[in-house]
């Protein structure tokens, strides 16, 4: 869906879609990303260190999704 959205919005020159397990692919992109989209459900918490490693030294944005239990909503 990400690749389809990139094509529909004609932003191929702005977005590099990296498909696969980020522990095995993407080493050449460490320190180069301005945004990291994390789509691991229910929680990508164990992948946060890897996501942070992809960000540029000046920082960036991590899009983080988390599915919580009802009793966790307030915290």
């Amino acid at each position: 869906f990400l690749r389809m959205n990139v094509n529909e919005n004609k932003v191929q020159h702005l977005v590099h879609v990296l498909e696969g397990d980020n522990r095995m692919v993407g080493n050449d992109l460490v320190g180069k990303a301005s945004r990291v989209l994390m789509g691991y459900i229910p929680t990508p918490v164990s992948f946060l260190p890897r996501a942070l490693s992809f960000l540029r030294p000046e920082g960036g944005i991590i899009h983080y999704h988390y599915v919580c239990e009802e009793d966790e909503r307030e915290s």
Side-chain angles (χ1 to χ4, degrees):
F1 286 110
L2 177 59
R3 190 175 299 283
M4 188 171 67
N5 187 278
V6 167
N7 290 333
E8 285 290 318
N9 288 288
K10 297 175 178 46
V11 292
Q12 298 90 332
H13 62 290
L14 298 174
V15 178
H16 176 83
V17 178
L18 177 64
E19 297 179 52
D21 186 326
N22 68 44
R23 294 167 294 180
M24 297 176 196
V25 298
N27 287 335
D28 57 330
L29 297 174
V30 168
K32 296 181 180 177
S34 58
R35 290 181 185 255
V36 176
L37 283 70
M38 300 184 72
Y40 308 104
I41 301 293
T43 177
V45 70
S46 64
F47 294 97
L48 274 174
R50 180 67 167 166
L52 288 167
S53 77
F54 282 117
L55 293 180
R56 294 177 176 164
E58 62 271 18
I61 298 171
I62 294 177
H63 298 268
Y64 181 94
H65 302 90
Y66 177 77
V67 177
C68 68
E69 298 296 326
E70 188 171 352
D71 61 339
E72 296 177 289
R73 288 189 324 186
E74 297 300 319
S75 63

